[in-house]
Amino acid sequence: MKKEKYSIIKGSGCYIPSQKILNEDFLQHDFFGVDGIKLPKTNQEIITQFKLITGIKERRYVSDDFCTSDIACFAAKEAFASSGANPELLDYIIVAHNFGEISKVNHRSEMVPSIASRVKQHLKINNPHTVGYDVIFGCAGWLQAVIQGNYYIRSGEAKSVLIIGAETLSRVADPHDRDSMIYGDGAGAVIMEACESEDSVGILSHTTQSVTNELAGVLRMGKSNNLNYAGEQLFLKMQGRLLYEYALKIVPKAIKKSIDMAGLSINDIDMLLLHQANNKMDEAILKRLFEEYEIKNIPAYIMPMTISWLGNSSVATLPTLYDLLSKNQLENYNVKKGSNIVFASVGAGFNVNSVVYKVPN
C-alpha cells in the first residue's frame, strides 16, 4: 500500500500554576447581578450552588511575576522534553489565547508583539524560518490551531509545528461576578510532526463552525457588575444560560460530523476530550452525543474531567488534559496506542470545533 502523510502528536507538556484557589476563598467577595444589584443569597449559598452546577472545587492562578508568554514557554519546554524535538527545526509556533499579555499591575491586554513572538524569543530560537503567530478563537482556539497545523503538515508546508494554548483568565475575571469562580489559569502545548504511514493515523478528520447570529456576544468584555467599581477595566462576561442552551444543540452534532467524516461510529471512540467550562453542560453534551446514535448507555471513563480542580482555563484545557493523560497522571485513564480520541471545544465567537485523532501504534 502507498504511504500517506499524516499529522501526529510527537510530544506534549503543560504548566499548572502553583496557586490553588478554593471555592471558600470567594466567601469574602461582594457579588452583584448584571443589573448592579447585590445578590440576595449568602456567599455560602452561592458557592454551594456553583459547585453543584459546575463541579468546580478549586482552580489555579498564576503567581504575580508570570504572564501568558511565560507559562506558554513553560508548557513548550515540557513538550520539547517529552518529544525530543529540536526547537530550531520548528516550522511554526502557533499560540492560542484571547487576552494577550496581561501583567499583575497592568490589566490592559498587550497584543503586540504576539505571544508567539515572545515565546520564540524566550525559547531562544534563532531560525528565521520558524514562523510564529497567534490565534484568537475563543476557548476553541487551541484546537483550531491544531487544525491549522494539520493543514501545514499534510500539504508539505511544515514538518514540525508547536501549538500552545495559554491563558491568565484570573486577570480578566470580575471579582464581583459569581461567574469569575469558573475561570482558572494555565498552559498546554503539543508538538505535531509529519508521519508517513500506510494506515490512517494521527488527525483523521475535523470540523469547525462559527455561529455568529445572536450568539456572537455570548462571551464578551464589559464593566464590573459592581457599579461602584473604581477604574475603567473591562472584564470577561458570559451569558451562561444562552451558552448552555445552544452548546447542547450544536456541539454534539459537530462531534458526530467529525466522527462520520473519519468513517467511524461512536462505538469506535475510546475517549472524548471535551473543553470543560461546566461539568453539568459537558455531561449533557455527552448524553446528547450518544442520543445522536440512539444509544442510552454511555460507557464509563469515556470522558476524563479536570474541571473540579483546574476550573475552566480556556484554550489551555484540552492540551493540559491530553498531556496529563499521555503521562498517566489521571486515575483510570491513559492514552493507548491505536485508540481513537475525539477533541472538541466551544467558546466565544460562538466557535465550535471537533477533531478525531488516532494514536499511532
Side-chain angles (χ1 to χ4, degrees):
M1 292 178 63
K2 182 181 177 181
K3 289 186 176 181
E4 292 190 27
K5 188 178 293 181
Y6 294 95
S7 306
I8 64 168
I9 298 174
K10 188 69 175 177
S12 63
C14 73
Y15 176 74
I16 297 174
S18 57
Q19 285 194 82
K20 185 185 295 185
I21 309 299
L22 305 177
N23 287 352
E24 290 72 21
D25 293 324
F26 291 90
L27 283 171
Q28 304 307 315
H29 284 227
D30 290 322
F31 291 121
F32 296 81
V34 294
D35 55 5
I37 298 174
K38 192 171 182 179
L39 298 180
K41 293 183 179 179
T42 67
N43 279 13
Q44 187 59 65
E45 290 174 319
I46 291 170
I47 290 170
T48 299
Q49 185 180 28
F50 168 84
K51 180 179 175 294
L52 286 173
I53 294 172
T54 66
I56 298 173
K57 301 176 184 177
E58 59 190 63
R59 71 290 293 145
R60 303 299 179 98
Y61 287 178
V62 294
S63 56
D64 292 352
D65 52 337
F66 292 148
C67 292
T68 305
S69 63
D70 295 311
I71 62 175
C73 190
F74 298 154
K77 288 180 177 179
E78 289 290 324
F80 282 120
S82 73
S83 68
N86 182 347
E88 290 292 338
L89 297 181
L90 281 177
D91 295 293
Y92 285 91
I93 299 172
I94 311 175
V95 181
H97 63 91
N98 292 287
F99 301 100
E101 195 87 323
I102 306 175
S103 71
K104 180 65 177 178
V105 295
N106 177 19
H107 286 240
R108 294 183 183 274
S109 297
E110 291 182 23
M111 305 298 282
V112 178
S114 69
I115 300 297
S117 292
R118 296 172 194 251
V119 168
K120 183 180 177 181
Q121 183 185 47
H122 290 339
L123 293 173
K124 299 181 179 179
I125 297 173
N126 295 314
N127 182 358
H129 299 291
T130 300
V131 177
Y133 67 90
D134 294 357
V135 169
I136 312 296
F137 201 68
C139 292
W142 177 81
L143 196 56
Q144 196 62 25
V146 167
I147 292 170
Q148 291 182 9
N150 175 58
Y151 274 121
Y152 287 135
I153 290 171
R154 295 290 292 268
S155 69
E157 169 73 13
K159 293 181 179 179
S160 180
V161 182
L162 169 63
I163 301 169
I164 307 171
E167 208 79 270
T168 53
L169 294 181
S170 63
R171 292 175 183 167
V172 295
D174 180 1
H176 300 291
D177 185 342
R178 59 187 167 188
D179 285 344
S180 65
M181 294 188 288
I182 292 173
Y183 307 121
D185 303 335
V190 298
I191 294 174
M192 290 173 54
E193 292 189 355
C195 170
E196 299 223 344
S197 173
E198 293 180 354
D199 300 317
S200 298
V201 70
I203 295 179
L204 304 182
S205 65
H206 58 83
T207 183
T208 303
Q209 297 180 42
S210 290
V211 186
T212 56
N213 41 37
E214 71 268 35
L215 300 178
V218 72
L219 284 146
R220 58 179 178 78
M221 302 303 288
K223 291 186 177 181
S224 173
N225 285 8
N226 183 354
L227 301 180
N228 295 317
Y229 185 86
E232 296 298 318
Q233 183 182 350
L234 298 180
F235 299 98
L236 179 60
K237 296 293 171 179
M238 175 176 62
Q239 294 176 267
R241 185 176 294 275
L242 192 61
L243 174 64
Y244 181 94
E245 177 185 341
Y246 277 90
L248 262 59
K249 293 179 181 178
I250 298 170
V251 178
K253 293 184 183 297
I255 295 173
K256 184 178 186 300
K257 182 179 178 182
S258 68
I259 295 173
D260 291 346
M261 290 170 64
L264 302 174
S265 170
I266 190 64
N267 294 322
D268 299 311
I269 303 305
D270 298 287
M271 273 195 290
L272 171 62
L273 308 191
L274 187 59
H275 169 67
Q276 294 169 29
N278 178 313
N279 189 68
K280 182 180 178 182
M281 185 174 80
D282 284 5
E283 289 180 349
I285 289 172
L286 181 65
K287 183 173 181 289
R288 289 279 182 95
L289 173 62
F290 274 81
E291 287 175 353
E292 290 284 331
Y293 292 91
E294 299 182 349
I295 297 175
K296 293 184 178 180
N297 296 321
I298 301 173
Y301 304 116
I302 194 170
M303 187 172 70
M305 301 290 287
T306 55
I307 194 169
S308 65
W309 59 288
L310 293 182
N312 174 6
S313 57
S314 184
V315 292
T317 300
L318 286 182
T320 297
L321 178 57
Y322 178 82
D323 183 56
L324 294 173
L325 287 166
S326 67
K327 294 172 181 173
N328 297 318
Q329 294 182 15
L330 292 182
E331 189 176 359
N332 297 320
Y333 293 97
N334 62 354
V335 177
K336 297 178 181 178
K337 293 181 179 180
S339 60
N340 294 313
I341 298 174
V342 172
F343 296 85
S345 52
V346 55
F350 177 87
N351 298 314
V352 178
N353 47 23
S354 179
V355 166
V356 179
Y357 180 80
K358 184 171 184 177
V359 181
N361 285 314

